[in-house]
């Protein structure tokens, strides 16, 4: 198992994924993202609160896309 050393800082990217077949994403623009994507982000942020040595530098989100085309959020 990988052990993190507490005296180091780590940079990480968040990758959130949900295929269009599984999602509740609204094409009409009523919703900006699916509930599952929001829940994944919330769970990751809760984890990161407990691990201040990890800094998120990017977020990638495949909400209603295929694995080949995604949107870089930040």
């Amino acid at each position: 198992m990988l052990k993190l050393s507490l005296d180091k800082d780590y940079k990480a990217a968040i990758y959130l994924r949900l295929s269009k077949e599984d999602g509740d994403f609204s094409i009409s623009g009523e919703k900006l993202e699916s509930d599952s994507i929001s829940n994944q982000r919330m769970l990751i942020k809760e984890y990161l609160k407990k691990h201040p040595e990890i800094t998120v530098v990017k977020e990638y989100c495949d909400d209603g896309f295929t694995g080949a085309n995604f949107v870089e959020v930040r």
Side-chain angles (χ1 to χ4, degrees):
M1 182 194 305
L2 177 67
K3 280 188 142 179
L4 295 178
S5 173
L6 296 179
D7 62 345
K8 291 188 177 183
D9 291 322
Y10 297 90
K11 293 184 177 18
I14 295 174
Y15 177 67
L16 310 166
R17 178 153 192 339
L18 185 71
S19 70
K20 61 184 175 182
E21 291 83 14
D22 296 333
D24 60 354
F25 183 73
S26 173
I27 300 296
S28 66
E30 295 171 21
K31 293 177 74 175
L32 296 177
E33 65 184 18
S34 68
D35 292 337
S36 178
I37 291 292
S38 298
N39 291 336
Q40 288 176 49
R41 186 179 289 110
M42 180 189 66
L43 288 169
I44 290 169
K45 285 184 178 186
E46 288 298 315
Y47 177 84
L48 291 169
K49 284 180 186 177
K50 299 173 188 172
H51 297 277
E53 70 276 11
I54 302 173
T55 301
V56 176
V57 295
K58 289 236 184 217
E59 178 180 296
Y60 298 94
C61 182
D62 288 353
D63 191 359
F65 293 92
T66 69
N69 63 347
F70 60 87
V71 177
E72 182 177 334
V73 177
R74 60 177 199 155

